[in-house]
Amino acid sequence: MICILLVAGHGTVLETQIKNDDTGLYSHLTGVPKALLPGIGGKKILDFWWETVNVRQLFTEVYLVTNADKYKHYERWATANDFPVENVVNDGSTTLKDQLGAVADLELVIRSRKLQDEVVVIAGDMLCSDQNFDIAQVIRFFRSKPGELIIYYELEEGERSSSRGIVEVCPETHRITRFLEKPEEERTTSRLASVVFYCIRGDTLSYMSDFLSLQPQASERTFGLFWEWLINEKQLDVFGVKLPTGFQLIGQVGLSDYTKWLTHYSTKKQDNPTEPITCRSYARVGLMGNPSDGFNGKTIAMTISNFWAEVTLVGSQTLVLVPHPLNDPTEFGSLQDLFCISRREGYLGGLRLLQATCKKLYQFCSKRGIALTKQNFTLKYDTNIPRQVGLAGSSAIVSATLKCLMKFYNITDNDLPKPIRANFILSVETDELFITAGLQDRVVQVYEGLVYMDFSKKLMDEQGYGNYASMDMSNLPSFWLAYLSDPSDSGRIHSNIRQRWLSGESVVVEAMRSFAELTDQARAAIKERDWSRLAQLMDQNFELRRSIYTNDCLGPGNLRMVQLARQFGSAVKLPGSGGAVVGLCLDQARLVEMRQAFQEAGCVFCVIAPYNPSASSVGGLH
């Protein structure tokens, strides 16, 4: 593969303003080509690009195309930076009037050096806000696709689409469906801006000659118009990779824009590494339905702020995953201590969840056309979600880790929409760690709050996820939660229900249909604030579950907690897969009595504090 750096533009506006600046601040830059001006951290702009592409494993040759007016500057730069001087190509132009145009400059190198290989083309006078992106990841994605590749980024606030080449990208195939060169705002809703950073296949290079024959004017031999022609008219397959960073092509801008961008990007670079990122995800309780994602049913669940997992990410020299002192023990007081901890909590803590999330995100971004920056970090986690009682503690750690990584790498909701994010979290646990899990916990932890979920087969087949709706959380009644202090008796609900459902057993199929109906009725009761009706439906939900699961599957500890709650007239059901119960007691006086009874029975009891994302900024992607 060949890399070609383009620096042949004539920056007359910027050069003239530097020359005429009467402050004296820029006199040392008089006559300096745009690409050799200071970039981020004082390094020359071209120095950064040369460091980025000077990788023998990726490129057999790197060429630099400049003009006759600035050739001597680049010759001296090449000598000082171990760049092969014979690879500096002079296009012969000395003014804006006799310039060849960007596409013609590229074609000159290809024709004069008889290049037939794949080519990476980069504007060498382009400021990049984050100088750590992984160009190898870009090239791997290019080689995985049957076409050309355009790099794009998401416009920052204040940047106008009419100043950029805008791409419209298919989110599934990553194919660029339309290219618009500096469109007016009303022509497209896309905020994805193309930059002069392309990968072109050898057999496509011939199209440049055809394009140039159609464009006699140098001012029209731009890459924007080339891609418009290639994509919109010739309909060649061109794909896109998103870099989660900003770009500014100095081009014909003036001194004020150059200094503004330099200050803006330098400030961002200074701010990012030192600021820790901390995100939370909350435990959840299932209020209605079966864990219906496996049965194409419906469910209502709620995140609660009583318990959470918290992950903190800090930039660092190497990538470090910090073991949790309690959940990932490596030191024990004795062999008996090791035995007791292992028997009670098992062998696996949360560290594997962090590692699997990191691995899966890199894999996801590589396939989805998102090139991550080469930044390292240290991840540590903490959690107070009780283990093995069915409150979705594992997925909370994964969800919080993903929030941190998305913020660190500037991955937006457009890159990883909420429904896809829930699927992603599930895949971390099921595909990477082989944890038996379902989708509903991940959905409610991504959306947060009180969430209605419909996992109908039609929806799941057609779009790959269900319909998820956040519900109004104002004026909710007092729900309570109790769980076993020793979850070894929780009897995590394992049974052959799924096999019976798949085989079409009428009792199970009818029960799943009834769960969905109860969920819709509960949704209506919540909307109408009919809490007595909701309590009835919760009781019906448990009895329906009991009718298809044996008592052994439900667990003796769970059944004892249900019976205890009913002695106080409280509605009660299982909030997850066992070890805990959730209830609704409308009589506050009896709630106090019930709390004491649960505590005397050796259970942990708490009144639920619903987590409402609209009323709190903690844990979100802010």
Side-chain angles (χ1 to χ4, degrees):
M1 177 171 261
I2 306 294
C3 179
I4 300 174
L5 299 171
L6 301 178
V7 293
H10 295 274
T12 55
V13 176
L14 182 56
E15 187 172 344
T16 301
Q17 289 186 2
I18 288 175
K19 184 179 180 180
N20 295 335
D21 178 64
D22 55 9
T23 67
L25 294 173
Y26 305 100
S27 57
H28 63 292
L29 299 179
T30 301
V32 175
K34 298 190 303 295
L36 298 183
L37 290 172
I40 311 301
K43 184 190 300 182
K44 293 181 178 66
I45 298 171
L46 185 58
D47 289 346
F48 159 66
W49 290 111
W50 174 225
E51 287 176 13
T52 300
V53 303
N54 188 17
V55 184
R56 280 290 168 188
Q57 298 92 318
L58 297 179
F59 303 111
T60 54
E61 293 285 353
V62 179
Y63 292 92
L64 185 73
V65 191
T66 183
N67 54 54
D69 185 45
K70 300 299 183 186
Y71 176 80
K72 200 66 181 176
H73 288 271
Y74 290 109
E75 184 184 60
R76 291 283 175 86
W77 172 86
T79 303
N81 288 274
D82 199 27
F83 185 96
V85 176
E86 64 274 15
N87 284 5
V88 180
V89 179
N90 187 337
D91 77 355
S93 67
T94 54
T95 66
L96 200 59
K97 284 187 176 180
D98 66 354
Q99 69 174 342
L100 303 188
V103 178
D105 278 322
L106 175 59
E107 194 266 347
L108 167 65
V109 184
I110 292 166
R111 177 168 39 83
S112 64
R113 301 304 170 99
K114 299 180 172 55
L115 304 181
Q116 297 178 327
D117 295 344
E118 298 169 334
V119 168
V120 171
V121 185
I122 300 173
D125 58 355
M126 187 163 54
L127 281 173
C128 176
S129 70
D130 196 317
Q131 309 207 349
N132 290 303
F133 64 82
D134 189 352
I135 194 169
Q137 194 180 12
V138 171
I139 292 171
R140 279 196 300 273
F141 185 81
F142 166 58
R143 288 176 171 161
S144 73
K145 295 294 181 182
E148 322 315 308
L149 191 70
I150 285 178
I151 282 69
Y152 62 87
Y153 75 103
E154 195 156 355
L155 290 174
E156 296 184 10
E157 189 176 346
E159 286 190 88
R160 300 181 59 207
S161 58
S162 57
S163 66
R164 298 286 184 271
I166 300 298
V167 294
E168 295 176 355
V169 185
C170 172
E172 283 77 35
T173 64
H174 317 295
R175 187 175 184 270
I176 293 176
T177 55
R178 195 161 65 133
F179 189 105
L180 299 168
E181 175 65 355
K182 300 179 179 177
E184 293 303 318
E185 304 289 331
E186 62 272 9
R187 287 192 64 197
T188 179
T189 58
S190 174
R191 297 278 296 166
L192 305 178
S194 164
V195 294
V196 183
F197 191 158
Y198 316 116
C199 300
I200 305 173
R201 299 186 179 278
D203 55 7
T204 307
L205 298 176
S206 61
Y207 279 92
M208 273 183 281
S209 298
D210 298 338
F211 171 76
L212 292 172
S213 67
L214 298 172
Q215 306 291 354
Q217 301 296 321
S219 60
E220 296 178 339
R221 294 176 169 184
T222 66
F223 277 109
L225 294 177
F226 174 68
W227 290 114
E228 264 194 337
W229 174 75
L230 207 61
I231 294 169
N232 303 354
E233 293 186 34
K234 307 303 286 185
Q235 298 195 339
L236 256 64
D237 285 333
V238 179
F239 297 87
V241 157
K242 180 182 180 184
L243 286 179
T245 181
F247 289 89
Q248 298 291 351
L249 186 60
I250 293 177
Q252 295 297 311
V253 304
L255 181 58
S256 62
D257 278 332
Y258 163 65
T259 54
K260 179 184 70 177
W261 292 334
L262 201 57
T263 302
H264 175 59
Y265 286 165
S266 296
T267 302
K268 285 179 67 174
K269 183 177 176 62
Q270 290 168 7
D271 289 346
N272 286 343
T274 56
E275 186 177 342
I277 299 168
T278 298
C279 295
R280 281 184 179 180
S281 282
Y282 294 88
R284 70 90 193 93
V285 291
L287 294 181
M288 193 59 57
N290 205 47
S292 303
D293 44 287
F295 303 95
N296 299 126
K298 299 175 182 179
T299 186
I300 295 173
M302 180 171 68
T303 47
I304 63 175
S305 59
N306 306 68
F307 305 107
W308 62 84
E310 184 173 275
V311 174
T312 298
L313 182 154
V314 182
S316 56
Q317 288 295 108
T318 58
L319 199 156
V320 181
L321 306 179
V322 180
H324 191 279
L326 297 178
N327 300 325
D328 305 291
T330 56
E331 293 186 20
F332 302 89
S334 65
L335 187 60
Q336 180 186 7
D337 186 33
L338 181 150
F339 169 76
C340 293
I341 291 174
S342 302
R343 181 183 62 176
R344 185 171 61 251
E345 300 185 10
Y347 303 101
L348 301 172
L351 199 63
R352 62 183 181 140
L353 300 170
L354 271 61
Q355 185 170 348
T357 307
C358 293
K359 186 245 185 183
K360 196 74 175 178
L361 183 67
Y362 184 87
Q363 182 182 37
F364 174 88
C365 290
S366 296
K367 290 182 178 178
R368 298 277 294 196
I370 302 170
L372 300 178
T373 53
K374 291 193 292 186
Q375 296 170 277
N376 284 327
F377 52 83
T378 294
L379 271 182
K380 62 180 180 179
Y381 79 98
D382 195 9
T383 180
N384 61 8
I385 301 175
R387 294 187 64 172
Q388 300 181 340
V389 297
L391 297 179
S394 293
S395 62
I397 294 174
V398 176
S399 175
T401 303
L402 182 59
K403 287 180 183 179
C404 285
L405 292 172
M406 288 179 67
K407 188 167 186 180
F408 183 69
Y409 285 117
N410 194 27
I411 296 171
T412 67
D413 282 349
N414 290 330
D415 302 320
L416 190 47
K418 285 184 176 181
I420 307 302
R421 205 183 309 168
N423 290 353
F424 174 92
I425 294 168
L426 178 64
S427 72
V428 168
E429 298 179 78
T430 57
D431 298 349
E432 294 297 315
L433 301 173
F434 307 105
I435 297 171
T436 302
L439 190 55
Q440 74 151 331
D441 296 353
R442 289 86 202 151
V443 171
V444 70
Q445 285 174 330
V446 165
Y447 282 79
E448 300 183 322
L450 184 64
V451 184
Y452 168 88
M453 293 162 265
D454 180 354
F455 299 99
S456 74
K457 188 176 190 306
K458 185 172 185 293
L459 290 170
M460 297 297 289
D461 288 346
E462 288 180 357
Q463 61 187 25
Y465 51 85
N467 275 355
Y468 313 133
S470 295
M471 300 179 66
D472 183 7
M473 299 184 70
S474 59
N475 302 314
L476 288 177
S478 293
F479 294 98
W480 58 266
L481 176 74
Y483 59 91
L484 300 167
S485 55
D486 180 4
S488 60
D489 188 36
S490 66
R492 311 257 315 163
I493 298 176
H494 298 297
S495 71
N496 60 350
I497 291 296
R498 181 160 177 79
Q499 287 73 24
R500 291 165 62 190
W501 179 74
L502 288 170
S503 65
E505 185 178 322
S506 58
V507 173
V508 177
V509 171
E510 180 60 25
M512 295 305 165
R513 186 185 62 79
S514 297
F515 277 124
E517 291 177 353
L518 288 175
T519 301
D520 283 334
Q521 292 174 38
R523 187 185 191 188
I526 292 171
K527 285 182 177 178
E528 295 164 8
R529 300 295 186 262
D530 188 344
W531 307 129
S532 296
R533 176 61 178 151
L534 179 61
Q536 293 172 0
L537 292 168
M538 289 175 69
D539 280 331
Q540 290 178 40
N541 194 105
F542 176 76
E543 291 304 323
L544 180 60
R545 192 169 187 177
R546 193 174 191 174
S547 71
I548 57 171
Y549 290 92
T550 66
N551 284 351
D552 287 343
C553 288
L554 290 174
N558 299 327
L559 292 175
R560 284 196 299 270
M561 287 190 290
V562 170
Q563 291 163 1
L564 184 57
R566 286 183 169 174
Q567 291 175 20
F568 293 89
S570 177
V572 65
K573 66 178 291 295
L574 304 187
S577 56
V581 291
V582 61
L584 174 55
C585 183
L586 300 176
D587 185 340
Q588 291 299 307
R590 302 217 71 186
L591 181 64
V592 175
E593 297 174 22
M594 185 170 58
R595 178 201 293 267
Q596 294 175 344
F598 268 97
Q599 290 170 341
E600 290 170 6
C603 298
V604 180
F605 185 98
C606 62
V607 175
I608 285 175
Y611 176 70
N612 185 348
S614 62
S616 174
S617 62
V618 179
L621 285 171
H622 302 295

